[in-house]
Amino acid sequence: MKKFLTVTVLAWMACGMYVGAQEDGGVISFDRTVKIKPEFVDAPVFAGGAAKPGGTAPTESKWMEVEFKYACMPPEALDLNSKKGIYLDEAQFKIYIEGINPDEPNSDQGEPILLVGEVTYINIPAGKENYGVFYVHPNTIGRYGGQATFEKSNKNIRIEAYINGQLVDVIQKKEEDDDGWINPIKRVNHQVYTKEESPFRLVNISRYPAEKKNRRD
């Protein structure tokens, strides 16, 4: 009986520590005052050696953009407002975007699917004004439900933050959904682009941290 109580207390303490860490903010913590939602934007126009926002393109030519905001607090940064020149080596972010595999062309009914992507940012500065972003190609949007489907309030988006392979925070478009909603849904990989993989790589360069490259230096 004593052993059972000890294990129970330890489990309760561990849970409490995790919840406390989420409430107080960890190394990476999402800004929940900025809601997760898809935006549909035109590809940039390159003119005169610079990238400029696109014009007004047809709906089927627009890219999906999902931006998120987060704070970064490396262990050595005790005060985000006064510490300067402190950086986190890297953090990984994964995204799950809910759509459908239509029963027939141009239908808004079909099998649920998840568009999945990830990015690893490096040299993330300590502070509360950090941003990340993902993009989805217009053809992918069209194939998996169209813009109207992805804009529906009942379609969720989930973003996870990882440090050294450990999940540290989560934010969702539909906050009321439990963490397990993504598990039974079919995943469609390699359909979500990072900024560096998209036509937007030269737009707002200073807004996002650098992306980690899979290479051998």
Side-chain angles (χ1 to χ4, degrees):
M1 182 66 177
K2 183 177 180 181
K3 182 177 181 180
F4 172 78
L5 288 173
T6 300
V7 172
T8 302
V9 170
L10 288 175
W12 178 82
M13 290 176 61
C15 180
M17 290 172 64
Y18 174 77
V19 172
Q22 293 296 305
E23 292 176 348
D24 297 338
V27 177
I28 294 292
S29 55
F30 291 111
D31 184 341
R32 285 165 174 76
T33 65
V34 180
K35 301 299 182 182
I36 296 299
K37 65 177 182 178
E39 301 286 349
F40 294 87
V41 297
D42 300 331
V45 175
F46 295 89
K52 302 178 180 179
T56 302
T59 297
E60 63 272 14
S61 299
K62 292 182 180 293
W63 287 72
M64 181 194 298
E65 179 184 78
V66 182
E67 186 181 72
F68 54 97
K69 184 180 180 182
Y70 59 96
C72 175
M73 184 172 166
E76 61 272 31
L78 300 179
D79 185 350
L80 293 178
N81 296 317
S82 63
K83 295 289 184 178
K84 304 295 183 182
I86 295 178
Y87 294 83
L88 179 68
D89 287 344
E90 64 180 59
Q92 183 184 45
F93 298 89
K94 297 183 180 181
I95 189 169
Y96 305 86
I97 303 173
E98 185 179 10
I100 61 169
N101 191 5
D103 295 329
E104 57 185 43
N106 301 317
S107 171
D108 60 357
Q109 301 296 319
E111 174 193 13
I113 58 96
L114 287 175
L115 303 179
V116 180
E118 63 180 60
V119 64
T120 298
Y121 290 125
I122 60 175
N123 302 325
I124 305 172
K128 299 179 181 180
E129 301 290 331
N130 288 291
Y131 294 87
V133 70
F134 289 99
Y135 292 94
V136 180
H137 192 280
N139 289 356
T140 304
I141 297 169
R143 178 175 181 178
Y144 293 107
Q147 180 175 330
T149 293
F150 287 102
E151 284 182 316
K152 287 182 178 179
S153 60
N154 64 332
K155 299 301 180 187
N156 206 349
I157 297 175
R158 176 182 174 91
I159 302 176
E160 302 173 339
Y162 290 81
I163 300 293
N164 297 324
Q166 298 296 314
L167 179 64
V168 295
D169 202 7
V170 172
I171 191 170
Q172 300 188 148
K173 178 184 174 187
K174 294 172 63 180
E175 297 177 351
E176 65 274 16
D177 279 2
D178 61 54
D179 286 346
W181 71 269
I182 63 174
N183 295 334
I185 303 179
K186 177 182 177 181
R187 301 184 183 191
V188 184
N189 296 315
H190 312 302
Q191 303 290 321
V192 181
Y193 293 88
T194 69
K195 186 172 183 290
E196 286 293 315
E197 296 169 337
S198 79
F200 301 87
R201 62 184 304 266
L202 297 180
V203 179
N204 292 329
I205 295 176
S206 61
R207 185 171 178 82
Y208 309 101
E211 296 177 16
K212 185 176 183 178
K213 305 296 184 182
N214 293 321
R215 66 188 185 193
R216 296 179 180 178
D217 291 334

